[in-house]
Amino acid sequence: KAGVTQTPRYLIKTRGQQVTLSCSPISGHRSVSWYQQTPGQGLQFLFEYFSETQRNKGNFPGRFSGRQFSNSRSEMNVSTLELGDSALYLCASSFYGLAGEGDEQYFGPGTRLTVT
Amino acid sequence: GESVGLHLPTLSVQEGDNSIINCAYSNSASDYFIWYKQESGKGPQFIIDIRSNMDKRQGQRVTVLLNKTVKHLSLQIAATQPGDSAVYFCAEANQAGTALIFGKGTTLSVSS
């Protein structure tokens, strides 16, 4: 079956702009999580959605937001971009969110965001 | 706060050797642990997982060991191949089971 897909794969934005990234989970998966990956901080959890509801949020400023649609697809938005927002943004999906055997979280290829 | 760390940032081995990548975690209440492999330009790829009610779990050429007494996790790769070269991350699930907390990663280099 198809894996997690993310669009766009690469993006260049200017400081102060906003950006929207998209994630399509594996078919049947209802939990979608977003992570930021940078060389300095590694992989950090942003937020997780399940059935269109945000269940958990990481330690990021309010400029980072997300949503999930009824078909489980998810978007994340970053407003007022800063240079430090340059990172690889990863989306991961699972059936229920690490709930049990067989509910592994699978990652997409990521969106490489560069802020200039 | 909760965190998962790795002992070594890099590990270099010869093709055919067995590799052991270690990880320490801090939350004794953690219930679920996963190893991921990330190749350049790709997202993390699931390798193997283990729940806290187990000490050992085996997959194809990989074994994960969990020592809850010292809060230590390890990944053993048998007969390491050049295709195993990547960054390996250990991760633990948060208590809600809705997010993963990742360590910094170990870069495995396999020379032939």
Side-chain angles (χ1 to χ4, degrees):
Chain A
K1 57 184 175 183
V4 178
T5 58
Q6 292 187 245
T7 57
R9 292 293 312 278
Y10 302 92
L11 206 49
I12 300 175
K13 289 286 188 179
T14 305
R15 266 185 306 174
Q17 288 186 314
Q18 73 164 13
V19 66
T20 299
L21 311 181
S22 181
C23 171
S24 292
I26 291 172
S27 178
H29 284 190
R30 293 164 61 189
S31 169
V32 174
S33 298
W34 288 89
Y35 295 82
Q36 181 195 64
Q37 185 175 27
T38 59
Q41 299 299 316
L43 275 151
Q44 293 186 291
F45 171 74
L46 280 157
F47 27 66
E48 187 257 0
Y49 287 87
F50 181 81
S51 293
E52 302 178 67
T53 300
Q54 186 183 90
R55 291 196 298 190
N56 199 14
K57 190 178 191 306
N59 201 19
F60 278 81
R63 299 184 298 107
F64 292 82
S65 63
R67 60 176 175 169
Q68 187 181 34
F69 302 94
S70 59
N71 61 357
S72 294
R73 191 177 68 84
S74 177
E75 289 181 346
M76 69 162 281
N77 185 77
V78 188
S79 62
T80 319
L81 284 165
E82 300 177 0
L83 295 178
D85 297 333
S86 293
L88 180 67
Y89 289 89
L90 292 157
C91 165
S93 76
S94 63
F95 285 109
Y96 300 108
L98 311 172
E101 190 83 22
D103 198 14
E104 298 94 6
Q105 196 168 84
Y106 292 93
F107 283 80
T111 293
R112 173 73 63 186
L113 172 65
T114 302
V115 182
T116 62
Chain B
E2 300 171 355
S3 65
V4 178
L6 286 167
H7 292 297
L8 290 174
T10 61
L11 177 64
S12 297
V13 301
Q14 292 285 324
E15 182 178 1
D17 286 351
N18 295 331
S19 302
I20 300 176
I21 301 172
N22 296 305
C23 175
Y25 64 94
S26 58
N27 185 0
S28 56
S30 291
D31 177 56
Y32 179 55
F33 304 88
I34 314 99
W35 282 99
Y36 283 93
K37 170 188 180 183
Q38 187 174 27
E39 296 172 287
S40 182
K42 297 183 179 180
Q45 176 189 352
F46 175 90
I47 301 173
I48 193 168
D49 59 358
I50 189 167
R51 298 233 170 236
S52 61
N53 61 352
M54 301 175 70
D55 297 322
K56 179 179 178 179
R57 194 170 187 208
Q58 289 184 293
Q60 188 176 10
R61 284 200 305 118
V62 295
T63 301
V64 55
L65 299 176
L66 177 62
N67 185 329
K68 295 180 285 293
T69 302
V70 295
K71 292 186 286 186
H72 184 268
L73 191 69
S74 68
L75 176 71
Q76 300 178 358
I77 305 173
T80 314
Q81 303 167 359
D84 294 327
S85 294
V87 180
Y88 289 80
F89 294 93
C90 66
E92 65 179 304
N94 68 344
Q95 290 184 305
T98 56
L100 293 176
I101 302 163
F102 282 84
K104 292 291 187 185
T106 290
T107 300
L108 175 65
S109 298
V110 183
S111 52
S112 53

